[in-house]
Amino acid sequence: MRVSRVTVADVGFIADFSGALFWQEQSLLVVSDLHLEKGSSYAARGVLLPPYDTVATLSRLAAVIARHDPRRVIALGDSFHDRTAHARLSAPDREALAALQARRNWIWVSGNHDPALPSDLGGVVATEVAIGPILFRHEPTGASGEIAGHLHPKARVPTRGRAIERRCFASDGERAVMPAFGAYTGGLSIRDVAFARIFGSPGFTAHVLGNDRVHAFVASRCC
């Protein structure tokens, strides 16, 4: 597997094809927007989706944790799809989550979907986390050194007469917006005005998630 990197404020991160970032020097893994129990949230409103999103998301999370074996994990907000989603976790899913947290420092950053996380989930809860020059928070402001989520960036890349749409990291070297990690999460095009407000121009890079690596494209090339 070829290693891809995203740099933010002179700090280099491994960009995992799952949508996670790994800071080797800090042994820190970062994921964003898990949206656990989104399927059960929709079912409660009469929109029936296969009830497997939490299992799928935790399985993908277990795989990336196995690849990098981090000492610390930051879940960068909207880890749960709504304010009561944590209460709907099945016993096996709770056990799977506890196994991932074992022997690791785990930080839940609160998001707009889950602003008040309970204390029985394991780990600690924070509104944002600062480590060296990097500030981790849920909603991006465009500040230098910021790594955020919330916007679920995706890129549509033209290739061989057709276009492929995938989730992506968006970064200009000073700040980054992470892709959503959850199995049922949608995406917002990096050509949307929301990204122009953060980056100022389409000169930033879309690090697009592939099957086994991350591919870098200038955002202006994406459609």
Side-chain angles (χ1 to χ4, degrees):
M1 181 182 68
R2 186 182 302 178
V3 174
S4 303
R5 294 189 178 272
V6 170
T7 298
V8 178
D10 295 324
V11 174
F13 296 83
I14 292 176
D16 193 273
F17 62 89
S18 66
L21 287 177
F22 183 57
W23 188 351
Q24 286 179 295
E25 291 75 12
Q26 296 288 335
S27 191
L28 170 65
L29 186 79
V30 187
V31 292
S32 188
D33 294 272
L34 304 178
H35 283 268
L36 299 174
E37 291 301 308
K38 182 174 182 177
S40 62
S41 177
Y42 273 57
R45 290 178 283 157
V47 180
L48 298 183
L49 295 174
Y52 308 122
D53 59 304
T54 295
V55 172
T57 300
L58 291 178
S59 177
R60 291 176 61 238
L61 185 55
V64 70
I65 285 176
R67 275 196 293 277
H68 300 288
D69 192 22
R71 291 195 307 270
R72 292 189 284 180
V73 175
I74 295 177
L76 206 56
D78 285 2
S79 298
F80 297 88
H81 188 66
D82 57 55
R83 292 170 183 259
T84 60
H86 56 85
R88 299 195 303 274
L89 286 173
S90 69
D93 290 340
R94 284 183 177 274
E95 292 170 3
L97 181 57
L100 296 179
Q101 293 174 316
R103 301 180 303 281
R104 294 184 174 86
N105 295 324
W106 194 285
I107 301 174
W108 302 102
V109 171
S110 55
N112 57 297
H113 279 253
D114 53 3
L117 291 164
S119 59
D120 64 349
L121 288 171
V124 298
V125 178
T127 55
E128 57 186 34
V129 179
I131 302 176
I134 307 298
L135 180 63
F136 299 95
R137 58 162 57 106
H138 179 61
E139 296 192 36
T141 66
S144 180
E146 176 183 83
I147 295 179
H150 183 59
L151 292 180
H152 301 199
K154 66 178 181 180
R156 192 166 184 262
V157 182
T159 174
R160 297 180 183 177
R162 60 193 182 99
I164 298 175
E165 189 171 80
R166 294 286 183 92
R167 305 180 195 195
C168 68
F169 301 93
S171 176
D172 62 358
E174 285 300 317
R175 56 198 61 79
V177 181
M178 295 188 62
F181 196 89
Y184 281 0
T185 49
L188 180 67
S189 169
I190 57 170
R191 302 305 297 272
D192 190 272
V193 66
F195 292 96
R197 294 192 188 106
I198 295 166
F199 296 106
S201 76
F204 63 93
T205 301
H207 301 268
V208 179
L209 308 187
N211 294 330
D212 60 2
R213 56 167 293 197
V214 175
H215 308 264
F217 299 91
V218 176
S220 58
R221 278 194 57 196
C222 302
C223 52

